Amino acid sequence: MDTLTALDVMRDAPVIPVIVLHDAAHAVPLARALVAGGIRMLEITLRTPQGLPAIAAIAREVPEAVAGAGTVRTAAEARAVADAGARFAVSPGYTPALGAACREAGLPLLPGVATGGEIMMAAEDGHAALKFFPAMQAGGAAMLKAWGGPFGDIVFCPTGGISAQNAADFLALPNVACVGGSWLTPGDAVAQGNWARIEGLARAAAALPRA
């Protein structure tokens, strides 16, 4: 998987877990539990200071996982996560400067979009696999269905408000390759080291049907 693309990341499994870690020591056992459940594309967010060391630990110690970085907003962050061993980046929005930095770092980018204009800007820079964020607040499955007409060549990973209860509604859409969600890694399960529970959640997510 040396030539990983954003589409490869999105098509690997029905769900990309959005992971917020408060203790980098949890990163390796968490990654192993997710991989055991059939989920190997992992978005570790930069929302806490533990994000970068967590990415580095997974990249170093769990080779069967593909560590990615979420909440990447700047060119400096793109370079930092690449140096830490991230294999892909996910952003809450998009700027051409961020896109250029990810290309220079060799990082496939899933840019966040919430409007037609943002889709067009990202597409102009060569991005056809996009994160729809925040999905529920920005129009949900109905918005994605509407975008299927004018943006028929774009595929999406909706993230934001996606849960085990509504994931299937999104995955049934032909322009949705996967969804992103935090329900695979509940905070209490991570804090307690309940890796068996997380493996079970991953296994259920990996079995979700797609269009």
Side-chain angles (χ1 to χ4, degrees):
M1 202 183 296
D2 292 335
T3 56
L4 193 67
T5 68
L7 203 52
D8 293 332
V9 173
M10 286 168 56
R11 285 187 168 156
D12 197 71
V15 182
I16 297 175
V18 179
I19 301 165
V20 181
L21 285 173
H22 299 280
D23 184 349
H26 291 142
V28 167
L30 173 64
R32 288 179 176 148
L34 290 166
V35 169
I39 302 290
R40 60 181 187 148
M41 298 290 170
L42 313 181
E43 178 189 339
I44 299 96
T45 71
L46 300 185
R47 296 180 195 176
T48 72
Q50 302 300 307
L52 210 55
I55 290 166
I58 293 169
R60 184 175 60 247
E61 299 183 42
V62 194
E64 60 272 33
V66 181
T71 326
V72 178
R73 295 168 45 194
T74 67
E77 287 175 343
R79 289 189 289 270
V81 300
D83 289 344
R87 298 282 304 281
F88 65 92
V90 185
S91 61
Y94 180 72
T95 67
L98 179 60
C102 286
R103 278 192 297 274
E104 288 166 15
L107 280 178
L109 174 66
L110 279 63
V113 298
T115 68
E118 291 168 0
I119 294 171
M120 290 166 65
M121 183 167 69
E124 277 185 5
D125 283 352
H127 298 280
L130 308 178
K131 166 182 169 174
F132 176 39
F133 176 80
M136 292 304 292
Q137 295 85 343
M143 180 67 86
L144 284 166
K145 196 176 294 186
W147 278 345
F151 301 116
D153 56 334
I154 305 292
V155 293
F156 297 93
C157 171
T159 304
I162 312 295
S163 66
Q165 287 69 44
N166 63 15
D169 298 337
F170 288 89
L171 290 167
L173 299 173
N175 59 346
V176 170
C178 68
V179 299
S182 57
W183 81 89
L184 276 67
T185 56
D188 59 339
V190 175
Q192 294 159 11
N194 191 344
W195 310 124
R197 178 182 168 198
I198 287 170
E199 180 182 339
L201 290 167
R203 201 173 296 282
L208 287 168
R210 288 187 272 192

